[in-house]
Amino acid sequence: MQRKPPLIWLNITLFTLTFAIALLWVPWHGYHHGFDKVEWLSFILLALFSGLSITAGYHRLWSHKSYKASRGVKIIYALGGALALQNSALHWCSDHRVHHKYVDDNDKDPYSAKRGFWYSHIGWMLREYQVTKPEYLNARDLQNDPIVMWQHRHYLALVVVMNILLPLTLGWLNGDILSMLLLAGVMRLVLVHHCTFFINSLAHIWGKQPYTDKNTARDNGLLALLTYGEGYHNFHHIFEHDYRNGIHWWQYDPTKWLIQLLSWCRLTWDLRQVPQERIETARLNMQLKQVSHRLTRFPNCEELQQHLQLEYEQLKTAITAYYQAQKKLLEAKHKHLCDQQLISQVALLKRQLSNRIKHWQQFTARYS
């Protein structure tokens, strides 16, 4: 029988103590003493600050290089990351890049969802599963980032400043240090911990797979509400360098909105987006696979499969034709060339694509 790695008592103590305080002491204190508006506002603002520093900073900026940011924004992310208490950006991003490279490999993925909910949520941090000291060979670019390395070298000091001195100072200014430490300190920390941990656990277990089934990642709108927009995880795992997770305007993705807002202020730039044609093609390929599997239950399966393949080819051709023409039109506009014939062609191809999508939806709906 294989021996389990040694326990990491520091992490166990931290997670157990903070969770117990959040579960027992905070409600008791709130019931008997209450929390005022300033304490609740501090709780909300610090939760947003620390959570978005992980999702917009650690994740989309430093792990995946999905956009570029100013020095000031990076410093804020570094401070917010220390407030979130999820290790330094260098360590976090190195682990995350390994996760994407070896996703669902129980031997190489540091928080493989195939080892179960508990392991991928928090268990991987409770034992010495990383037997060798990390060298961060997959994060050489981050080792050349002075702000990442500043945070890495002074991480423990920053953790103390952001998680103890900051709420303590806010409490002193508000006239109630204990209440501020409990709500904006401990309760906020536990909430952000487990909401962001859901990205590694529930986002690989619960939801749909509209873009790929080559890994366990799922899209889940409800999880997006809890994870600062990171719940559209199936999209993320196939298009990891896109600065968005929720690609539609109606999808809840405050991390994307923050990055966009900062770009309007010229504090972020070079926001990377996957071409829409690739997104549509990935979605179409998954629909083909799913419907094709369902058709095996029908006695005239072979005939239906041929019809499905024909509809698929026609829709794929329409997608390619439309987006190629649209690309030409954008290039012409960029050169300040007005080609009425090209504009008419794009409009026609868009109508044809819309009709083909309706045909596809009608056909696949019969076998859903």
Side-chain angles (χ1 to χ4, degrees):
M1 185 176 179
Q2 189 177 7
R3 280 185 74 183
K4 291 185 177 181
L7 294 167
I8 305 175
W9 285 107
L10 177 62
N11 288 359
I12 292 171
T13 302
L14 172 70
F15 289 134
T16 304
L17 188 61
T18 55
F19 188 80
I21 292 172
L23 186 67
L24 301 172
W25 193 356
V26 173
W28 181 88
H29 186 87
Y31 180 78
H32 288 282
H33 302 279
F35 297 106
D36 65 23
K37 292 179 181 179
V38 174
E39 289 152 0
W40 279 110
L41 181 61
S42 299
F43 164 78
I44 293 169
L45 291 178
L46 291 183
L48 289 172
F49 177 30
S50 55
L52 288 169
S53 292
I54 295 295
T55 59
Y58 279 29
H59 190 208
R60 302 193 198 183
L61 174 64
W62 284 315
S63 290
H64 295 298
K65 317 294 281 186
S66 65
Y67 67 101
K68 295 176 183 176
S70 69
R71 182 181 180 86
V73 169
K74 287 182 178 182
I75 291 172
I76 291 170
Y77 286 158
L79 294 173
L83 179 64
L85 196 54
Q86 295 187 28
N87 223 315
S88 71
L90 180 64
H91 189 99
W92 195 102
C93 296
S94 178
D95 273 353
H96 192 71
R97 288 177 180 181
V98 174
H99 165 65
H100 269 264
K101 186 176 182 179
Y102 299 108
V103 61
D104 297 331
D105 185 325
N106 286 350
D107 296 321
K108 296 180 178 179
D109 183 350
Y111 30 86
S112 173
K114 287 192 173 180
R115 296 185 69 167
F117 171 81
W118 174 257
Y119 178 86
S120 59
H121 188 73
I122 197 172
W124 69 280
M125 293 179 282
L126 303 182
R127 291 183 179 273
E128 294 281 5
Y129 289 103
Q130 292 185 343
V131 292
T132 58
K133 185 178 179 180
E135 297 180 6
Y136 310 118
L137 297 178
N138 65 345
R140 292 190 185 278
D141 57 314
L142 300 182
Q143 293 181 61
N144 293 323
D145 187 319
I147 294 168
V148 169
M149 295 312 296
W150 166 77
Q151 191 226 35
H152 185 71
R153 285 192 298 269
H154 304 288
Y155 181 70
L156 290 179
L158 290 172
V159 164
V160 172
V161 170
M162 299 303 294
N163 285 279
I164 298 176
L165 294 184
L166 176 60
L168 191 151
T169 302
L170 292 174
W172 175 71
L173 291 172
N174 193 48
D176 190 342
I177 292 175
L178 179 60
S179 293
M180 188 68 75
L181 283 170
L182 287 174
L183 190 62
V186 179
M187 190 68 186
R188 181 270 315 161
L189 179 66
V190 172
L191 179 73
V192 173
H193 267 171
H194 290 281
C195 283
T196 51
F197 294 171
F198 280 148
I199 302 166
N200 298 332
S201 55
L202 279 183
H204 281 264
I205 297 170
W206 178 30
K208 297 180 179 180
Q209 294 183 300
Y211 300 101
T212 181
D213 61 358
K214 292 182 179 179
N215 56 69
T216 56
R218 301 291 200 272
D219 272 12
N220 189 314
L222 180 59
L223 279 181
L225 297 175
L226 300 175
T227 59
Y228 305 88
E230 299 281 327
Y232 304 104
H233 213 52
N234 189 252
F235 174 86
H236 172 65
H237 262 272
I238 190 173
F239 302 121
E240 64 186 68
H241 298 297
D242 197 310
Y243 85 96
R244 308 163 299 170
N245 270 17
I247 59 172
H248 301 292
W249 68 266
W250 44 266
Q251 290 179 318
Y252 182 79
D253 188 354
T255 303
K256 173 188 70 177
W257 300 334
L258 172 64
I259 296 167
Q260 287 176 333
L261 177 63
L262 291 174
S263 74
W264 296 338
C265 300
R266 298 187 179 182
L267 295 172
T268 62
W269 59 92
D270 291 350
L271 279 58
R272 298 170 69 178
Q273 290 190 45
V274 175
Q276 190 64 26
E277 181 182 355
R278 284 184 59 197
I279 297 172
E280 296 297 339
T281 300
R283 186 188 287 119
L284 178 61
N285 288 338
M286 269 304 293
Q287 290 173 353
L288 173 68
K289 190 172 185 178
Q290 291 165 349
V291 176
S292 181
H293 176 71
R294 290 196 292 266
L295 291 181
T296 57
R297 300 175 297 179
F298 293 86
N300 57 337
C301 168
E302 191 173 329
E303 179 186 345
L304 292 173
Q305 292 282 12
Q306 290 177 351
H307 190 181
L308 175 67
Q309 191 63 35
L310 177 63
E311 290 285 345
Y312 167 79
E313 295 294 344
Q314 289 176 338
L315 179 51
K316 190 174 181 181
T317 300
I319 289 172
T320 302
Y322 169 67
Y323 284 107
Q324 285 182 350
Q326 188 185 55
K327 183 180 178 181
K328 289 180 182 178
L329 179 59
L330 289 174
E331 289 172 353
K333 287 182 176 179
H334 185 69
K335 296 176 182 178
H336 304 288
L337 299 174
C338 184
D339 189 332
Q340 193 59 46
Q341 184 178 355
L342 188 55
I343 293 172
S344 300
Q345 182 188 7
V346 170
L348 175 62
L349 289 171
K350 186 176 182 179
R351 289 195 297 271
Q352 290 175 346
L353 175 58
S354 179
N355 289 332
R356 287 259 53 95
I357 291 173
K358 288 178 183 177
H359 276 288
W360 174 258
Q361 290 174 339
Q362 289 170 358
F363 178 79
T364 55
R366 298 177 210 160
Y367 308 102
S368 59

